[in-house]
Amino acid sequence: MIGLAASLGLLLVAGGRLARLTASPDASRATRAVRVGIWAFALLVAVEAALGAAGHLDPRATLLALAAVAVALAVSTRRLPPGNEPPRAPLTALDAAYLFALAAALGLRAWAGIHKETFLYDTLSYHLHVPAAWIADRRLEIVPAVFGDPSSAYAPSNLELWFAFLMAPLRSDALGGLGQLPFAALGALAVIGAVREAGGQRTAALAAALAFLLVPEIWQQARTAMTDLGLAALLLSVLPFAYRARRRAAAGELLTATAALGLAIGTKYAGLALALPFAAAVVGLAARGHPRARDLLALPPLLLATGGFWFLRNAVVTGNPLYPLAGFGWPGLYHRAALRGWIYHLPIAHLGALGEMLAAGGLVFVSLAAIVLLWRRPPVELGLLAGTVASFWLLVPYQESRFLFAAFGVAAVAIGRAAGRPGRPLDWRFALALLAGLVEYPTGERWLIVPAGLLGAAVAWAGRRLSVGARRRGARVGLALLGVATAAALAVGVRSYRARDPGYAVGSGLDGAWRWFRQNVQGARVAYTGTNLAFPLAGRDLANRVSYVNVAGAPGDRLHDFGRRIPAGRAETPEPAPYRDGARFEIWRRNLRAAGAEVLFVAALDEIVARNVAADADGFPVERAWADAHPTLFHLRYASPDARVYGIAP
């Protein structure tokens, strides 16, 4: 825990130095915080990607690399003049109420994340499995995604680097499992910064940020190791700097906005499509600020360094930056026609489904956004919202409401700007409507935000009776105490998480098999098959090395190696399984030896996967029959209708 805290501290110091290099003196506090967050995350991605490529992805190497970067930046920027913060209006009681409410929302989500008992499918299939594999091997590698959609093996993975950073020092997913929480905070700060830089008032900006966090699906995902909220936060982080660039397109604003865009496209394939309207907003707004040509030269390399390198990796390894999607003469397994026929793809004409996804933002929030957009018609937010929804609906093949988080953030900015017009910090009608959002989805946890807000208002009211100096000292002490309390709560939460069974569950028959596995297998090399939910097999302290072992081809062959053996783009489904073609026991046994496998986990195929992968009458892949046919090599240790576990003879 100490090493992780030291690495986080160095990361913030280094990010702060880069933020000073790109800073403007009149930026809002929220914009300054977003700038630090963007540069800190960019440094983490660059450092961990470099260490992973060199085979040194471990906590000690990360700590030393961050220390070297922080020292180098401190020395090189030591002559920068100190930043002079412009005078700020004192916090009102309503400002303090919203600040306390935001802090309470994030704290409640952190506690819920550490104590969660249900887990999202994608979290267990690759968002945690991929960094666990990197940690075990100390290098970045293409981790096979089998028995389902194989594209995640090649997807850009900036947030998985962040999860690995949180998991490696603790040898646990206690913090990695709620790794999106800092991005929930970043998204809220980005909404505040965008409202403020666009001329809105502070109270309305804070209210808009709270409304964004209270969107039901955002509230639920904030405590998980998914990547959709992280992607949205990075995209929204573009806005404060785009608004500033409209006034003056200084190098610092352009560089920070570009870094945020690069980090976004480096988060997942969908980021490419969803980043387009935000990139267009930067170009359109910055053009009014008259950027210098020489400042533009640094932008393409920055895009490559913060996220584009994942696509470059794919191009070098497979010949296609978007593998396994074929097109533009690039090799691949399937064309867009296969994606359009996917069970997860909705035809463009099904606008009713799109309406339902937009309505998932909550009746109060969506209605308020619609009123603001139709009444005020803010050109930037209206165009950006339309572009984001269109990119989602027309370009992203897998349409779920979680890809609309950035659109909800833009709507929150529009609400904040409309509510915070000069002379009217927060219209009472907006305040009531935002409060109604709590009533619409009432839970005990969400209602705790109300007393937190009342406490903030009481603290602000009491503070007015103190001198300016006393208020500042009190604020510093309060922030210090909050930091200590947060660190202590996280330490206690992590300890309690590690002391109990994490209870990975998705509501299927695998839940019981995973429970047995955690209790009986530790420190082993595990081969798995039949499922793409591999992370629950990692065990306590991530002590098990978990990998899929090929039944055809060489031990290290990946999807693109198998894909070269079939005509390009000929797969009829986005879930092809060429890695199963030509399966033979002798090849599999050889590959098991090469992997040093000691335990075999065989799961029954789910109904969707069984359409593309051969299975026996009980739904198991061929490895079960092979293991049962060779009892001297494979000793059955656990059996259920959904899974088999075998010990493997050396």
Side-chain angles (χ1 to χ4, degrees), residues 92-101 450-463:
T92 67
L94 196 53
D95 292 338
Y98 278 118
L99 278 171
F100 273 60
V450 176
L454 294 175
L455 175 62
V459 169
W461 178 83

Side-chain angles (χ1 to χ4, degrees), residues 69-405:
V69 170
V71 169
L73 285 171
V75 170
S76 62
T77 60
R78 67 185 185 280
R79 295 183 179 178
L80 283 177
N84 295 319
E85 184 177 335
R88 311 282 183 181
L91 285 176
T92 67
L94 196 53
D95 292 338
Y98 278 118
L99 278 171
F100 273 60
L102 284 165
L106 293 171
L108 291 167
R109 288 287 81 193
W111 193 253
I114 290 178
H115 294 85
K116 60 179 172 285
E117 297 180 354
T118 58
F119 297 81
L120 298 179
Y121 194 94
D122 288 356
T123 295
L124 301 181
S125 66
Y126 64 97
H127 291 315
L128 291 179
H129 172 56
V130 166
W134 291 344
I135 291 168
D137 290 341
R138 301 177 64 216
R139 73 168 56 250
L140 293 189
E141 56 194 349
I142 295 173
V143 179
V146 290
F147 303 103
D149 175 14
S151 65
S152 60
Y154 300 86
S157 304
N158 278 351
L159 256 71
E160 281 75 16
L161 283 174
W162 166 246
F163 299 155
F165 174 75
L166 296 175
M167 293 164 63
L170 305 178
R171 302 296 299 183
S172 167
D173 67 316
L175 292 181
L178 54 87
Q180 276 198 120
L181 192 68
F183 290 93
L186 180 66
L189 285 168
V191 170
I192 297 169
V195 173
R196 298 290 281 137
E197 301 301 341
Q201 301 299 307
R202 181 170 57 200
T203 307
L206 294 168
L210 182 60
F212 171 70
L213 289 182
L214 290 176
V215 168
E217 196 170 356
I218 291 174
W219 178 261
Q220 290 299 325
Q221 206 188 98
R223 62 178 186 148
T224 68
M226 295 286 281
T227 59
D228 308 291
L229 182 52
L231 170 61
L234 293 168
L235 292 173
L236 293 171
S237 295
V238 173
L239 295 183
F241 310 104
Y243 282 123
R244 293 186 62 78
R246 175 170 56 180
R247 298 193 294 271
R248 178 174 173 267
E253 316 302 351
L254 296 176
L255 288 170
T256 310
T258 301
L261 281 171
L263 292 169
I265 66 172
T267 296
K268 60 194 310 174
Y269 275 139
L272 273 177
L274 297 176
L276 291 176
F278 288 85
V282 172
V283 172
L285 292 174
R288 304 181 191 178
H290 307 292
R292 295 180 300 181
R294 67 179 185 181
D295 292 340
L296 303 178
L297 296 177
L299 304 187
L302 185 59
L303 274 175
L304 182 66
T306 52
F309 64 88
W310 295 106
F311 302 92
L312 180 62
R313 184 274 312 265
N314 288 349
V316 171
V317 172
T318 72
N320 178 358
L322 300 178
Y323 197 86
L325 177 64
F328 306 104
W330 295 331
L333 291 178
Y334 49 80
H335 289 287
R336 284 187 59 83
L339 287 175
R340 288 193 292 270
W342 204 9
I343 60 172
Y344 303 110
H345 176 72
L346 295 172
I348 294 173
H350 287 191
L351 296 179
L354 175 60
E356 291 178 5
M357 293 180 195
L358 290 170
L363 177 62
V364 170
F365 179 83
V366 172
S367 299
L368 191 57
I371 291 170
V372 166
L373 291 167
L374 295 175
W375 170 44
R376 301 286 296 172
R377 295 182 185 176
V380 175
E381 290 83 8
L382 193 58
L384 190 54
L385 185 64
T388 303
V389 173
S391 295
F392 157 73
W393 193 244
L394 300 177
L395 301 179
V396 177
Y398 192 144
Q399 293 129 327
E400 291 189 351
S401 55
R402 57 194 172 98
F403 295 127
L404 288 169
F405 288 174

Side-chain angles (χ1 to χ4, degrees), residues 32 38 213 429 539 648:
R32 287 158 48 198
I38 289 299
L213 289 182
R429 288 165 290 192
I648 303 177

